[in-house]
Amino acid sequence: MSEQNLFKVTIDNITIEVPAGTTVLQAARLIGGQVAPPAMCFYSKLQGSGGKCRTCLVEVSKGSEKDPRPMPKLVASCRTTVMDGMEVKNITSEKVIDARAGVVEFLLLNHPLDCPICDQAGECHLQDLSFEHGKSETRYEFQRRTFKKHDLGKNIQLHMTRCILCYRCVFTADQLTNKRVHGILDRGDHAEIATHIEKSLDNEFIGNVIDVCPVGALTDKTFRFKNRVWFLKPMDAHRDCPTCSGRVTLWNRGDEVYRVTARKDQWGEVEDTPEGKPGWICNTCRFDKKETSDWIIEGPREISRQSVIAQGHYAGKIGMTKPKETFAAVNEGRTPHLLMDIHDQSEVNQPNIHLGKIQGPSHGDTFNRNNTHKA
Ligand code: SF4
Ligand code: FES
């Protein structure tokens, strides 16, 4: 790249030179840390992504060296390319912080607050965003959207109520498979992810929609309800796969492999292989190779300190003191007649059951009926 193609851009008072054509978001990611705006729909490995969710809004306080006028409105940094001499404010702009809180409120209008039972909890970008910018109550007075259930096949579970219509899974199916069978049907309030005529998503690379989904709308049926991500130990591993790069992260508890995912970078996007290609993984690696012996383990995966999976991520902000609420306080003075300890009622820790290996989600039957599965 010749030098005249480099543009100087200043984001949150930090100046960087980037090639012409770079977006403000990519330039901010090159600086890193909090300077990089959140992005719920942009995915650098998917062509055409971005411009849907508005979480990446920034203020352009100086357009360029030639035309220093500020841009009149906040702009989506994932879709705005830098100009030479441009000055941008992200976390240093009150307007941006305020707008982001508004965007989060909109995203949460219909999104259920079911993090306690959602498999994406702990690695959900919307959960992080709500924690940073959300409010503790809602102003929305209407019923949240509900949808007819669509079965996407044996490996992928769709929870449409959680979808934020970012289109990432649609671009993934378009760009990684030879025939896309799902998409966004209808418009506006009725828009939903569906296959129109019930079809299962079974292309060999379709499992990647689970990794790109920023929320818990698309989750892995082989992992569903079996464990929480923060109890698992991520390990880098690889195998000689004829279909994909075979470079994955195993999510283990002891020797049990609960889940297999692509390796993700600090922006939550699939990491590049050493050959510089996106490290998408195939369904066989993701759903079928659930034995430690299927893999060559490289070592523990480093988890960023900022990640919610890292221990104590929220501790500094919430504090380590016990919450003040008691049952009586939240129950308007009524105290419960009976409190049950789950461990007295159910043998949930049966040592002969490997949750990572049972078919489908684990529930009462797994523990209470005669279970044929043996470790
Ligand atoms: S299902 Fe997930 S990836 Fe697909 S549009 Fe909805 S939020 Fe985005
Ligand atoms: S990440 Fe830019 S609009 Fe969604």
Side-chain angles (χ1 to χ4, degrees):
M1 187 71 62
S2 60
E3 261 191 37
Q4 65 261 38
N5 284 338
L6 287 180
F7 282 175
K8 211 179 249 183
V9 55
T10 304
I11 309 173
D12 285 344
N13 303 322
I14 302 173
T15 304
I16 185 173
E17 285 194 338
V18 292
T22 307
T23 60
V24 173
L25 178 71
Q26 283 163 321
R29 283 186 175 184
L30 288 173
I31 297 171
Q34 288 202 320
V35 174
M40 296 288 286
C41 67
F42 174 76
Y43 202 90
S44 65
K45 314 280 162 38
L46 296 172
Q47 274 172 21
S49 65
K52 312 277 189 303
C53 71
R54 304 277 133 181
T55 51
C56 66
L57 290 177
V58 290
E59 181 182 347
V60 177
S61 51
K62 179 180 169 191
S64 68
E65 213 53 74
K66 284 192 185 144
D67 182 0
R69 284 176 303 167
M71 290 194 183
K73 288 184 180 168
L74 303 183
V75 296
S77 60
C78 68
R79 282 293 179 99
T80 309
T81 46
V82 297
M83 302 297 280
D84 195 25
M86 187 184 249
E87 286 177 18
V88 178
K89 290 180 177 174
N90 176 29
I91 45 168
T92 50
S93 163
E94 270 179 37
K95 270 195 230 167
V96 168
I97 303 298
D98 191 41
R100 209 161 275 161
V103 171
V104 172
E105 194 172 359
F106 268 109
L107 286 176
L108 291 176
L109 280 190
N110 282 297
H111 191 92
L113 297 181
D114 59 355
C115 310
I117 54 137
C118 177
D119 279 321
Q120 189 85 354
E123 48 186 15
C124 173
H125 296 192
L126 188 53
Q127 194 180 31
D128 291 346
L129 208 57
S130 319
F131 182 73
E132 304 285 344
H133 301 279
K135 301 198 173 72
S136 54
E137 69 282 332
T138 177
R139 289 184 284 169
Y140 196 58
E141 293 172 355
F142 305 99
Q143 263 200 344
R144 287 166 187 227
R145 288 181 306 171
T146 52
F147 296 90
K148 185 176 154 261
K149 266 195 173 168
H150 289 284
D151 185 6
L152 298 186
K154 67 179 171 65
N155 290 326
I156 301 169
Q157 178 72 40
L158 170 67
H159 278 280
M160 189 50 221
T161 47
R162 295 178 188 156
C163 173
I164 59 156
L165 297 168
C166 72
Y167 278 75
R168 281 183 183 180
C169 60
V170 180
F171 288 120
T172 306
D174 255 345
Q175 292 165 32
L176 261 63
T177 71
N178 47 11
K179 194 160 178 265
R180 171 163 66 84
V181 296
H182 84 288
I184 294 186
L185 299 188
D186 297 333
R187 288 291 173 266
D189 220 21
H190 297 278
E192 63 172 316
I193 288 283
T195 53
H196 189 46
I197 300 167
E198 295 286 315
K199 271 192 180 158
S200 59
L201 305 190
D202 47 18
N203 182 280
E204 189 54 16
F205 276 87
I206 199 67
N208 289 293
V209 295
I210 298 169
D211 280 346
V212 301
C213 185
V215 293
L218 295 169
T219 52
D220 179 345
K221 272 190 183 169
T222 67
F223 174 61
R224 217 157 114 72
F225 300 142
K226 288 187 184 160
N227 220 312
R228 311 300 299 179
V229 285
W230 52 87
F231 291 140
L232 302 178
K233 203 183 270 171
M235 306 287 279
D236 277 347
H238 67 268
R239 65 183 274 269
D240 192 11
C241 177
T243 319
C244 70
S245 67
R247 300 172 82 249
V248 302
T249 300
L250 302 182
W251 296 79
N252 285 9
R253 190 155 187 189
D255 275 345
E256 264 190 89
V257 178
Y258 275 78
R259 181 172 77 143
V260 182
T261 62
R263 297 186 193 178
K264 308 259 187 85
D265 64 16
Q266 59 171 320
W267 312 116
E269 295 186 5
V270 55
E271 213 175 71
D272 281 344
T273 62
E275 296 79 43
K277 292 189 183 148
W280 306 110
I281 61 168
C282 67
N283 286 4
T284 310
C285 285
R286 184 186 301 274
F287 301 121
D288 301 334
K289 300 292 173 191
K290 293 286 184 80
E291 299 284 344
T292 317
S293 56
D294 293 327
W295 298 97
I296 299 163
I297 308 283
E298 294 169 24
R301 175 141 193 100
E302 205 174 303
I303 295 290
S304 119
R305 216 161 36 84
Q306 280 75 31
S307 166
V308 70
I309 305 172
Q311 205 179 9
H313 172 74
Y314 290 149
K317 290 175 182 160
I318 295 177
M320 295 304 285
T321 48
K322 253 184 139 183
K324 284 198 190 72
E325 300 95 36
T326 60
F327 273 110
V330 294
N331 264 342
E332 295 165 350
R334 284 172 289 134
T335 49
H337 293 303
L338 182 66
L339 270 181
M340 287 195 296
D341 180 350
I342 184 74
H343 297 286
D344 293 340
Q345 310 301 322
S346 157
E347 296 170 332
V348 286
N349 288 327
Q350 282 184 18
N352 62 334
I353 294 179
H354 273 193
L355 290 181
K357 290 182 196 161
I358 58 169
Q359 291 294 322
S362 52
H363 42 67
D365 288 356
T366 314
F367 303 101
N368 297 333
R369 294 214 184 123
N370 282 343
N371 198 290
T372 49
H373 173 83
K374 290 278 176 290

